[in-house]
Amino acid sequence: MTANRPQNILILSSGNAVRGIMLEAYINAVAGGRWRAFSAGTEPVGAVNSLALTVLAEAGIRPDAHSRSWKEYAMPGAPVMDVIVTVCSESANQIPSEWPGTPLALHWPLPHPSDAARTVDERIAAFRAVFELVKSKADAFLAEMHSSPVNAKRHGAG
């Protein structure tokens, strides 16, 4: 964290309806104000998946998120990002190599829960499993960054 603001992290996915939303909501719920998370999509679908909202509600998390485009965060006046995390190969391959502020770029491949499930029970189980992965990745990241705040130049970004 810098002296005057929390660190900002942008989570990018293709549709910004499930994985990015879950990760954004979880980080904002547990980071204690040291991190502020945002999520966006390379091709946002415009609505958050209802099963993602169900799983977040089960965890006691109320997301303050909606499906939006990553372009909102690359424009002048947008929050300066310290870290950008892509969660699918589609988003990793579509973001510009030059990002304002030279943030640290990370890729955390997370499966899309809708890809493997057919019945309602299988679908909710898949969403819960992805949320467990989200929590694991976020907790490890936050623990590492708590001991050593992001410095993009030191981490070789840019």
Side-chain angles (χ1 to χ4, degrees):
M1 179 164 55
T2 63
N4 54 359
R5 70 166 177 84
Q7 297 284 287
N8 290 327
I9 182 169
L10 177 61
I11 300 101
L12 295 177
S13 60
S14 52
N16 191 225
V18 178
R19 297 164 290 181
I21 298 291
M22 286 179 166
L23 194 49
E24 173 189 7
Y26 183 73
I27 289 173
N28 285 333
V30 303
R34 292 185 312 268
W35 285 88
R36 186 171 53 181
F38 304 88
S39 68
T42 56
E43 298 178 28
V45 297
V48 178
N49 185 292
S50 62
L51 289 178
L53 294 174
T54 297
V55 169
L56 288 168
E58 289 173 353
I61 299 171
R62 289 181 164 241
D64 181 23
H66 63 278
S67 181
R68 64 191 86 147
S69 172
W70 66 270
K71 293 177 183 178
E72 292 181 32
Y73 297 103
M75 298 172 63
V80 174
M81 295 300 154
D82 300 290
V83 178
I84 296 178
V85 175
T86 55
V87 297
C88 62
S89 58
E90 293 87 0
S91 61
N93 294 328
Q94 293 182 18
I95 60 169
S97 58
E98 298 292 326
W99 191 274
T102 319
L104 175 64
L106 303 171
H107 181 60
W108 299 345
L110 295 169
H112 195 290
S114 294
D115 292 344
R118 300 289 182 249
T119 69
V120 173
D121 289 341
E122 290 172 337
R123 290 188 74 216
I124 194 69
F127 275 74
R128 287 176 181 139
V130 168
F131 185 60
E132 290 303 314
L133 290 171
V134 160
K135 291 186 334 185
S136 175
K137 290 278 193 187
D139 289 344
F141 171 80
L142 292 171
E144 180 181 336
M145 291 297 117
H146 181 68
S147 63
S148 176
V150 172
N151 177 327
K153 293 189 189 313
R154 186 179 71 213
H155 288 285

